[in-house]
């Protein structure tokens, strides 16, 4: 090979090397985009009447069903529950009975983290999440009253189907609660309440036992005697009497009436945003 040919080969090699230095980062970036997989949540466990929702309708849910697009969701009926697992394996979302959850966003952050946005129109969800590995990752629960978000913790959200108030309780870690341009931090062991059109209340410690006070009165109407239960709970929670969800006022007060007869007793069940329950057997006569 002549000196001239060697010079030409060296020049070609230098040009190729220069172009590779320019194109390699672009090709690598393109490759990182191409390998991104479809985002999803999957039904891991279920019990009772659970429905899979999509923009085109609903059907009976099954283990392994995936929520992959905006508008996909899950609804649990009376005495039903469901547990969803996130595609990242970061944790689980457990749905209480009479809960409806819908996907609002399954996105990627700039640092390839995962951003998950869910909407809970009613009912309760409990989340058990480990710390995210990417700073840009986030899981956000939206409700008619406000928003709660986290980057790894254990917390619960409870949305009342009547007045759409939103209770938020944090077991470990830290979450934020936002509404009406105001945001509060809810650390582990604390809870807060958001009512529609209002900012979050200042967080307060979670009591060891859910609050429940009651008294019974005898009411006579049209010569018939009735027993009237007047009860009060923390409005951050929900209350069921004989498995029927009760409507409470802003102070957490409610009433329940039954025909008077001896030996009557009723069961009262208080449910917290974390999914914990306290059951009370209330004697009426």
């Amino acid at each position: 090979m002549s000196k001239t040919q060697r010079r030409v080969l060296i020049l070609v090699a230098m040009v190729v090397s220069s172009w590779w230095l320019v194109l390699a980062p672009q090709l690598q970036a393109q490759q990182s985009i191409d390998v991104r997989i479809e985002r999803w949540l999957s039904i891991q466990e279920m019990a009772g009447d659970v429905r899979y929702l999509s923009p085109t309708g609903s059907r009976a849910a099954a283990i392994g069903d995936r929520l992959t697009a905006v508008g996909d969701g899950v609804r649990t009926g009376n005495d039903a529950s469901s547990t969803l697992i996130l595609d990242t394996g970061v944790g689980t979302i457990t749905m209480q009975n009479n809960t409806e959850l819908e996907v609002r966003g399954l996105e990627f952050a700039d640092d390839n983290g995962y951003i998950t946005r869910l909407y809970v129109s009613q009912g309760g969800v409990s989340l058990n999440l480990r710390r995210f590995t990417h700073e840009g990752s986030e899981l956000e629960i939206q409700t008619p009253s406000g928003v709660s978000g986290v980057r790894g913790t254990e917390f619960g959200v409870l949305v009342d189907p009547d007045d759409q108030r939103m209770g938020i309780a944090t077991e470990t870690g830290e979450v934020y609660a936002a509404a009406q341009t105001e945001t509060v931090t809810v650390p582990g062991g604390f809870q807060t309440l958001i009512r529609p059109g209002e900012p979050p209340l200042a967080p307060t410690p979670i009591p060891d036992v859910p609050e429940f006070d009651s008294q019974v009165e005898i009411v006579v109407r049209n010569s018939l005697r009735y027993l009237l239960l007047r009860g009060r709970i923390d409005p951050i929670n929900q209350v069921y009497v004989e498995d029927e969800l009760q409507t409470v006022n802003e102070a957490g007060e409610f009433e329940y009436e039954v025909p008077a007869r001896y030996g009557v007793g009723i069961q009262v069940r208080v449910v917290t945003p974390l999914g914990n329950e306290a059951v009370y057997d209330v004697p009426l006569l």
Side-chain angles (χ1 to χ4, degrees):
M1 182 182 294
S2 68
K3 291 183 178 180
T4 300
Q5 290 174 322
R6 284 198 296 270
R7 290 194 186 100
V8 171
L9 289 175
I10 292 172
L11 180 60
V12 170
M14 293 175 62
V15 171
V16 171
S17 298
S18 300
W19 275 103
W20 174 249
L21 291 174
V22 173
L23 293 176
Q26 299 179 19
L27 292 174
Q28 291 173 353
Q30 181 63 44
Q31 184 180 19
S32 67
I33 294 174
D34 291 341
V35 297
R36 283 184 174 177
I37 60 175
E38 180 184 67
R39 296 288 322 278
W40 50 264
L41 288 84
S42 178
I43 298 178
Q44 184 183 45
E45 299 177 2
M46 53 179 281
D49 180 20
V50 180
R51 304 289 297 178
Y52 177 88
L53 311 177
S54 72
T56 58
S58 70
R59 60 169 172 78
I63 301 295
D65 277 345
R66 288 188 173 187
L67 286 61
T68 60
V70 172
D72 289 349
V74 176
R75 181 173 62 236
T76 57
N78 294 327
D79 299 322
S81 63
S82 181
T83 298
L84 309 178
I85 187 170
L86 285 92
D87 50 3
T88 57
V90 72
T92 57
I93 301 172
T94 299
M95 301 173 59
Q96 301 177 24
N97 66 311
N98 295 314
T99 297
E100 186 164 324
L101 176 148
E102 178 186 309
V103 172
R104 286 291 174 90
L106 296 172
E107 306 160 5
F108 291 96
D110 292 339
D111 62 356
N112 287 326
Y114 291 74
I115 300 174
T116 304
R117 305 187 195 281
L118 306 174
Y119 181 76
V120 178
S121 58
Q122 68 175 53
V125 293
S126 302
L127 298 90
N128 187 342
L129 311 172
R130 65 166 173 78
R131 290 287 179 182
F132 297 154
T133 56
H134 291 82
E135 185 176 348
S137 294
E138 183 176 0
L139 191 148
E140 184 176 84
I141 301 293
Q142 304 171 355
T143 77
S145 299
V147 175
S148 181
V150 68
R151 287 187 170 85
T153 188
E154 294 179 63
F155 76 112
V157 172
L158 193 60
V159 181
D160 189 85
D162 294 323
D163 60 15
Q164 297 187 322
R165 69 185 186 277
M166 174 187 185
I168 304 164
T170 306
E171 187 166 358
T172 61
E174 185 177 275
V175 306
Y176 69 81
Q180 301 299 309
T181 71
E182 293 191 24
T183 301
V184 300
T185 298
V186 188
F190 280 73
Q191 60 185 13
T192 187
L193 178 69
I194 303 177
R195 293 188 175 92
E198 299 181 10
L201 297 180
T204 57
I206 300 173
D208 294 333
V209 179
E211 175 186 357
F212 173 63
D213 297 314
S214 66
Q215 62 182 32
V216 179
E217 300 177 7
I218 297 178
V219 178
V220 178
R221 189 183 310 111
N222 297 326
S223 300
L224 297 176
R225 300 173 68 211
Y226 296 87
L227 298 177
L228 177 64
L229 170 68
R230 298 184 187 273
R232 181 171 59 84
I233 63 167
D234 185 337
I236 214 166
N237 301 323
Q238 290 182 348
V239 59
Y240 291 79
V241 179
E242 296 296 290
D243 290 327
E244 181 181 342
L245 179 64
Q246 301 299 299
T247 299
V248 304
N249 61 19
E250 286 197 1
E253 299 168 336
F254 67 95
E255 296 181 351
Y256 185 83
E257 187 177 272
V258 295
R261 63 181 185 272
Y262 287 101
V264 170
I266 59 175
Q267 186 181 85
V268 177
R269 180 163 51 94
V270 181
V271 181
T272 75
L274 290 173
N276 300 324
E277 297 185 1
V279 178
Y280 304 88
D281 292 313
V282 181
L284 297 181
L285 275 181

